[in-house]
Structures are given as C-alpha cells and as structure tokens.
Amino acid sequence: AQKITQTQPGMFVQEKEAVTLDCTYDTSDPSYGLFWYKQPSSGEMIFLIYQGSYDQQNATEGRYSLNFQKARKSANLVISASQLGDSAMYFCAMREDYGNNRLAFGKGNQVVVIP
Amino acid sequence: DGGITQSPKYLFRKEGQNVTLSCEQNLNHDAMYWYRQDPGQGLRLIYYSQIVNDFQKGDIAEGYSVSREKKESFPLTVTSAQKNPTAFYLCASSLTGPLYNEQFFGPGTRLTVL
C-alpha cells in the first residue's frame, strides 16, 4: 500500500503568491516524521522542512511552513511569496519509528513559478 | 566542504554489462542509502546500510548489489540481471537515531543503457 500520496497535477503559480502542496500519508506507527524535499531540474534533493508526529506546533522554516493535520493524516507544504527559484518538483516523505531510518517518498508535485 | 559525492554524473553502458556507481560522504554519517528515480516518479529505495559491513534490501533490490566496507563509501553495482536499469540514481546519507535526522543527498548519476 502506498504510504505517501501526492496527487495534484502540475501547478503554475504567480510570483509572490503562496502555494499549497498536498500530502497525505498512511501509517499505524504512532511515532513518525514527515519531510519535504525540493528537487530542481538539476536533480539534487534539497531538504526543506520536518514535522514530527508528536510536535504540538506546525513546523516553519523561512518561507516554508507545514500544515500538519494529524487526524486527517495530512502534511501539506505551504510556500509563501513564491520566487522563480521555487520552480521544482516537491516530494513529501515519511520516516516511521520502526522503519530503520528508511524514508518512503511520494511521487511529487511539480511547481512552475511564472513572473 | 562536507557533503556527498557521486560519480560519474552521466553513465552509459551496453546491455549485459555490469556497472558500478560511486557514492562517498564525508559527513561522518552511519547510514547510507541508494534510490532509483524514474521520470515523473518518486524515489524508490534499492539498498540501505545503517553501519559498516551491514546492509539491507530496500523495495527494489533485484538486479543490484552493494558493499559497505568503509563508513564513507557505499558503491552500487547495477548488474546485467536488472531488466530496466536506465534511470536516475541518488545516494543519500544520514545520522541514525532520532526521527528528525534528515537524509542528505548527492547530485545523482544518470544511467543510460544503450
């Protein structure tokens, strides 16, 4: 069964606007962590933000914030004030406490920022 | 500078040949990973290692082999048994322990089978 689901089609975003990328996950482990990575066209994977299952507050890192809704098993990434350099694929991933450090990745969301 | 290096960036091989992809890290991380990425897809785990001289199969290990003789190095061999090896291969490393330890990725190797 797929553990991470990202189903949005490719998105076009106007520069300086905010964009929300959806991610739902499936786990029976009470302790887990959720990660978002950015992959520009060069191919490297860049870590953006982390949310722990027991964290009381939503994670934020600069222009990135995570809208964590535990009951809905949802961990949406919000990018505020989009910049041209934000054009990339974005991947949601989950690490389970009993998962031997493994990450399960979703299929990604494509974002294109237009001027 | 600390980081992960992968070589080569582009690799071409003929069908039936084995090929080894290099991955080196100087982050002093215990855990290392190999992923495969196909166009429009997410990353799928091939093999991972949490400590020197030990490694485990991931979700798509068939047709691949690895070794972990040194902490800094985790080479991946794509064997002739791998039916569709053309893909983008990413190596990663991380600390073990707390869940919040993110994986750091190398720049990737794009393998094309001719």
Side-chain angles (χ1 to χ4, degrees):
Chain A
Q2 199 167 6
K3 293 197 173 195
I4 298 286
T5 302
Q6 295 177 262
T7 56
Q8 286 168 303
M11 304 173 71
F12 289 93
V13 182
Q14 201 76 39
E15 198 176 6
K16 298 180 186 174
E17 289 188 351
V19 59
T20 298
L21 305 180
D22 296 339
C23 172
T24 58
Y25 59 91
D26 182 28
T27 182
S28 56
D29 191 338
S31 179
Y32 53 90
L34 296 156
F35 299 79
W36 277 92
Y37 283 85
K38 171 185 177 181
Q39 187 180 42
S41 57
S42 56
E44 75 219 79
M45 295 286 283
I46 302 166
F47 166 71
L48 296 177
I49 196 168
Y50 166 82
Q51 178 83 46
S53 60
Y54 292 119
D55 292 343
Q56 296 297 313
Q57 293 189 327
N58 287 342
T60 61
E61 284 288 345
R63 293 187 298 112
Y64 304 107
S65 60
L66 207 151
N67 183 2
F68 181 47
Q69 298 185 46
K70 194 171 180 176
R72 297 180 58 190
K73 294 189 174 178
S74 164
N76 298 342
L77 177 70
V78 180
I79 306 173
S80 62
S82 297
Q83 302 171 356
L84 296 178
D86 293 335
S87 296
M89 282 289 288
Y90 290 82
F91 291 94
C92 180
M94 178 174 64
R95 180 183 168 190
E96 294 163 295
D97 201 11
Y98 299 115
N100 294 325
N101 301 308
R102 296 175 52 154
L103 281 180
F105 282 86
K107 294 189 175 181
N109 298 102
Q110 177 76 55
V111 173
V112 176
V113 180
I114 52 178
Chain B
D1 281 12
I4 302 176
T5 56
Q6 291 186 243
S7 60
K9 191 173 176 65
Y10 298 95
L11 188 57
F12 298 89
R13 81 150 213 225
K14 293 181 180 178
E15 264 189 63
Q17 289 180 336
N18 291 357
V19 63
T20 298
L21 281 59
S22 166
C23 177
E24 305 275 333
Q25 54 98 1
N26 60 4
L27 300 167
N28 201 32
H29 287 165
D30 283 315
M32 296 187 74
Y33 314 81
W34 273 107
Y35 294 92
R36 170 184 171 136
Q37 187 178 27
D38 294 288
Q41 299 294 315
L43 278 64
R44 292 185 291 168
L45 183 64
I46 304 172
Y47 268 99
Y48 64 106
S49 167
Q50 297 193 82
I51 198 166
V52 175
N53 292 322
D54 187 49
F55 49 82
Q56 289 81 38
K57 292 181 179 180
D59 300 317
I60 55 165
E62 186 175 348
Y64 300 97
S65 66
V66 293
S67 63
R68 187 86 188 276
E69 297 175 2
K70 298 187 296 183
K71 187 175 186 177
E72 331 55 274
S73 178
F74 191 41
L76 173 75
T77 297
V78 185
T79 75
S80 56
Q82 168 49 234
K83 291 184 172 53
N84 186 17
T86 294
F88 187 52
Y89 290 87
L90 283 157
C91 178
S93 71
S94 75
L95 295 169
T96 55
L99 283 171
Y100 57 73
N101 287 326
E102 76 266 31
Q103 292 185 11
F104 293 80
F105 284 81
T109 293
R110 198 167 296 276
L111 173 65
T112 302
V113 174
L114 305 171

